[in-house]
Amino acid sequence: MNNLGINRVFGNISFWIGIFFFVHLIGIWYPPIEAAHSWRQATGLMVARNYFENNTSFFFPMVDETNGGSGIIGMEFPILYYMQGKLGMIFGFHAGIGRLINVLISSIGLGYFYALLLRFIPRKASFYATLLLGVSCFFMYSRKVMPDTAAMAVYIIGVFYFFEALQWGRWKDTIWSLLFMALGFLLKISVVPWISITFFAYFYFRNKPKKAWILFLPLISLLPAVCWYFIWNPYLALHYGNWYNLGGSFLQGADAFFHEPKTLLHHLSFHPFFSYLAFFLCCYGIWRLFRTELDISVKITIPIFLLVFLAYALKSGKIFLSHEYYIIPFVPLMAVLGGITLANFRNYAWLLMLLIAIEAIANQGYDFKYNHKEAYKLKLSALANRFIPQKALVVINGNSNPQELYFLHRKGWNIHTNQLSNSFLGSIKQYGAAYLIINKHSAEDRLKIKMLNAKLLMQNADYLLFRL
């Protein structure tokens, strides 16, 4: 292959998006036992499995951590979990289906991200920006049973059609734009900083032909999410007692950031790309940005975006500091800045991009490995099938991680080890708790366990099973 042929292949963004997709198929059928956020996936998988088993209807998502109740919970719009549950009726229920849905949507989103950027910045800058987004935290979270990258990808698709509709006024573009932007907000309200795209469009097209009424689409697309998160979810929380994440006040968030400045700095500098080299590249890009005469559309939009993102971060509080995926809405903006900066390096751009990709993927690659250390938890399914009736309610010391409750495929309580006491077990028995499973790796006080008023049915190297 001559140099022209090589450039056509490796300079084609479709080639790299294809690589992104196929690399993510590695271990895609693994159970959710990886180190990062297996708990978050387990919760989503519970919802999907309850759809699969027809235990609930679409508008009443249900988890297995019922605490003696129904398990119905207020959460993000559960369309991805619903799709997984219904596809399970054809292919059998498996975590890999949820992973595959996310990878597919996220990969398509990368393609639309590139096409969207071509409208506003040169091809090389668009190319490098898309590569940076692909190796960012998008890389790891695109294969998890979580809606975060899918939400961002879907919203990017909506923004692409928004600008098509704004320029040409075609009804099909208008409908696609409204549908995808609304779905992006519904999937994860965290994409709300991208509502600032309205201001960018208004000022960027201020002296250009446009269909001005299209500018209202991003605001209109927010209405379904407002109904879901601020009307329906509070209704579910009021009637069923569960809500995924209420967040805190802005003052509580500010207090958390003030007391953990090093954690905040590390979060903002490292977690977007899992690469310090990428962060320094963005810092250099910001320095260049201040030396450039920017269009008023950029001058106005970026502060609005950052202000809304700050409000979202403060509302999230401590959770923002400890969960990398909360940074995802900020990453496309950093990728654009990094892509523009890389394009200015010309012949050295490929080398810098390669070094960033190596660092970023190396720091996320562990998430693609089978976690043998946690694999013992997979035996819980066989244990439950042998000793615990399907409808029986169980208690397990999962210590806030619902992962083991998911593997048990039973409903009940997920408690902290320090809650193990006769008084506590007695209080939940009246709600139907019938079996207690204790993870030996999490329970070191064996004397306390011996004093429990429960009948030991089975024990192995990892677990104790009691009848309450």
Side-chain angles (χ1 to χ4, degrees):
M1 185 182 290
N2 56 32
N3 289 337
L4 181 61
I6 292 174
N7 289 333
R8 283 178 177 175
V9 173
F10 291 101
N12 188 331
I13 197 63
S14 298
F15 171 79
W16 293 107
I17 293 174
I19 293 293
F20 174 90
F21 177 80
F22 286 110
V23 166
H24 281 72
L25 297 183
I26 299 171
I28 201 165
W29 229 246
Y30 288 162
I33 55 174
E34 61 261 45
H37 300 295
S38 57
W39 64 271
R40 181 65 177 77
Q41 296 182 85
T43 303
L45 287 166
M46 287 177 179
V47 175
R49 189 168 60 193
N50 278 300
Y51 284 135
F52 168 69
E53 295 174 345
N54 291 314
N55 292 330
T56 190
S57 62
F58 177 80
F59 290 99
F60 296 85
M62 178 187 291
V63 294
D64 295 340
E65 191 175 346
T66 62
N67 296 313
S70 66
I72 292 172
I73 187 170
M75 63 184 304
E76 68 262 6
F77 196 64
I79 184 66
L80 299 182
Y81 305 133
Y82 187 79
M83 289 170 58
Q84 181 180 0
K86 297 310 172 184
L87 285 172
M89 294 180 177
I90 302 172
F91 303 105
F93 186 82
H94 200 284
I97 295 175
R99 294 183 189 272
L100 191 58
I101 291 172
N102 194 15
V103 171
L104 183 60
I105 294 173
S106 300
S107 300
I108 293 171
L110 285 176
Y112 272 93
F113 182 68
Y114 176 73
L116 175 63
L117 293 185
L118 285 177
R119 283 182 158 274
F120 307 106
I121 60 177
R123 190 194 70 82
K124 279 191 175 181
S126 301
F127 179 80
Y128 287 122
T130 306
L131 290 184
L132 283 171
L133 183 59
V135 301
S136 71
C137 55
F138 244 61
F139 182 77
M140 178 166 65
Y141 287 104
S142 291
R143 72 180 295 274
K144 292 182 179 290
V145 188
M146 296 168 59
D148 300 81
T149 58
M152 194 70 254
V154 167
Y155 194 79
I156 287 169
I157 295 171
V159 171
F160 172 83
Y161 286 112
F162 165 69
F163 282 107
E164 289 287 298
L166 185 62
Q167 183 173 1
W168 306 109
R170 294 186 295 249
W171 276 106
K172 66 173 185 177
D173 294 324
T174 303
I175 293 170
W176 284 126
S177 173
L178 188 60
L179 175 65
F180 283 111
M181 284 195 293
L183 184 56
F185 280 132
L186 281 166
L187 284 172
K188 195 79 176 186
I189 195 67
S190 60
V191 301
V192 72
W194 285 92
I195 197 74
S196 57
I197 203 73
T198 303
F199 298 93
F200 175 80
Y202 176 80
F203 288 101
Y204 186 84
F205 285 90
R206 61 191 180 278
N207 297 320
K208 299 177 182 179
K210 59 182 177 294
K211 306 297 179 181
W213 63 274
I214 297 293
L215 289 168
F216 291 99
L217 284 186
L219 296 174
I220 296 171
S221 69
L222 191 56
L223 293 178
V226 170
C227 293
W228 180 265
Y229 287 98
F230 300 104
I231 298 176
W232 185 245
N233 270 354
Y235 170 83
L236 293 180
L238 179 64
H239 286 79
Y240 300 100
N242 292 325
W243 200 343
Y244 222 37
N245 176 19
L246 291 170
S249 68
F250 294 124
L251 288 177
Q252 287 173 328
D255 183 66
F257 292 177
F258 179 78
H259 284 93
E260 298 187 55
K262 290 183 179 180
T263 302
L264 178 62
L265 179 61
H266 179 260
H267 188 45
L268 294 174
S269 61
F270 182 68
H271 287 149
F273 296 96
F274 284 87
S275 164
Y276 287 116
L277 183 57
F279 174 70
F280 290 131
L281 177 74
C282 290
C283 289
Y284 176 67
I286 292 171
W287 177 74
R288 286 179 56 91
L289 203 64
F290 280 113
R291 303 182 64 190
T292 305
E293 184 60 36
L294 298 173
D295 186 77
I296 189 173
S297 59
V298 178
K299 288 181 178 179
I300 291 175
T301 304
I302 290 181
I304 293 173
F305 176 93
L306 293 176
L307 186 63
V308 180
F309 183 79
L310 175 62
Y312 151 73
L314 289 173
K315 184 67 176 172
S316 303
K318 283 190 175 182
I319 297 176
F320 179 83
L321 295 175
S322 57
H323 294 67
E324 303 103 45
Y325 57 86
Y326 273 60
I327 206 80
I328 285 174
F330 190 55
V331 175
L333 183 62
M334 295 184 70
V336 172
L337 179 63
I340 293 171
T341 307
L342 270 176
N344 287 308
F345 280 92
R346 299 183 180 179
N347 294 334
Y348 295 99
W350 265 109
L351 177 60
L352 278 171
M353 185 65 238
L354 179 61
L355 292 174
I356 289 171
I358 290 172
E359 183 187 7
I361 294 173
N363 284 323
Q364 299 175 75
Y366 65 88
D367 212 57
F368 287 71
K369 297 177 181 178
Y370 188 84
N371 191 349
H372 292 279
K373 186 179 178 181
E374 296 286 302
Y376 72 90
K377 296 178 180 179
L378 302 179
K379 299 175 183 178
L380 283 168
S381 178
L383 182 152
N385 290 337
R386 181 180 177 187
F387 293 100
I388 306 174
Q390 185 68 44
K391 299 295 183 181
L393 297 181
V394 302
V395 186
I396 189 166
N397 62 327
N399 295 312
S400 297
N401 190 338
Q403 182 189 49
E404 290 170 288
L405 199 57
Y406 167 71
F407 291 135
L408 277 168
H409 196 174
R410 299 293 186 272
K411 300 185 187 304
W413 288 258
N414 172 26
I415 68 171
H416 285 268
T417 300
N418 59 18
Q419 290 178 277
L420 287 171
S421 67
N422 287 319
S423 59
F424 176 77
L425 295 177
S427 68
I428 63 175
K429 278 179 67 177
Q430 62 182 317
Y431 294 102
Y435 292 87
L436 170 66
I437 302 98
I438 297 178
N439 185 330
K440 290 183 177 181
H441 303 280
S442 305
E444 298 178 356
D445 191 346
R446 300 301 169 85
L447 179 61
K448 185 178 180 180
I449 293 173
K450 288 181 179 180
M451 295 176 65
L452 295 175
N453 293 329
K455 180 182 178 182
L456 181 64
L457 297 180
M458 187 281 307
Q459 66 173 311
N460 57 29
D462 306 301
Y463 291 100
L464 297 163
L465 172 63
F466 295 90
R467 180 76 166 90
L468 296 179

